[in-house]
Structures are given as structure tokens and as C-alpha cells.
Amino acid sequence: MKIYLAVLKNDVDLEKFKKILKEKKIKFLEHYKSLGIVKLQSEKKISEKDFEEFCASIEQDKDNLTI
């Protein structure tokens, strides 16, 4: 499993985002609300194109960010 960090766009409907993640079998791990970042887990590669409506950027986490 790979871990990804995604920077959310302003005023994102988080519940709608979680529903789409669930449909794509991507696990929602953490929401760093003050930073506007979410932590996701997936077996397959995630790209920004998949979630343009919700995310400004998505990158694979290499250091396992915890706050």
C-alpha cells in the first residue's frame, strides 16, 4: 500500500470527497484540517487528474507524515 498526501482546494465538500474515495477503493486516513491536507492510502497510483475537483496537488508520502 502506498500513502499519499493531498492538498485540498478551498471550500471542498469533504463528505463528497470521502464518498468518491470509497468508490475508488482509496482509504481516507487523516485530515490535517489546519493545513488543508489529507492522507490517503491506495494500492494503485493516485494522480491529480483523478481528483482535480477536490485537490490542488497530490504526492506520494515518502516519510510517513504524522502531526
Side-chain angles (χ1 to χ4, degrees):
M1 293 273 187
K2 295 179 183 176
I3 304 292
Y4 293 88
L5 298 173
V7 177
L8 296 174
K9 291 183 177 180
N10 291 335
D11 301 324
V12 167
D13 182 347
L14 198 56
E15 292 307 313
K16 183 177 176 184
F17 182 48
K18 286 181 180 181
K19 183 179 177 185
I20 290 171
L21 290 172
K22 189 173 184 177
E23 290 171 3
K24 294 185 179 236
K25 298 184 177 164
I26 298 171
K27 190 173 181 180
F28 185 94
L29 298 177
E30 295 279 339
H31 180 208
Y32 304 108
K33 192 173 185 176
S34 61
L35 299 174
I37 295 174
V38 292
K39 191 174 189 180
L40 310 172
Q41 183 178 40
S42 175
E43 290 183 16
K44 58 184 178 179
K45 186 175 180 175
I46 301 174
S47 73
E48 291 174 25
K49 290 180 183 179
D50 296 331
F51 301 103
E52 288 179 316
E53 178 183 348
F54 303 100
C55 302
S57 69
I58 299 175
E59 291 189 26
Q60 187 174 348
D61 182 18
K62 296 177 176 78
D63 297 325
N64 196 18
L65 174 71
T66 54
I67 297 177

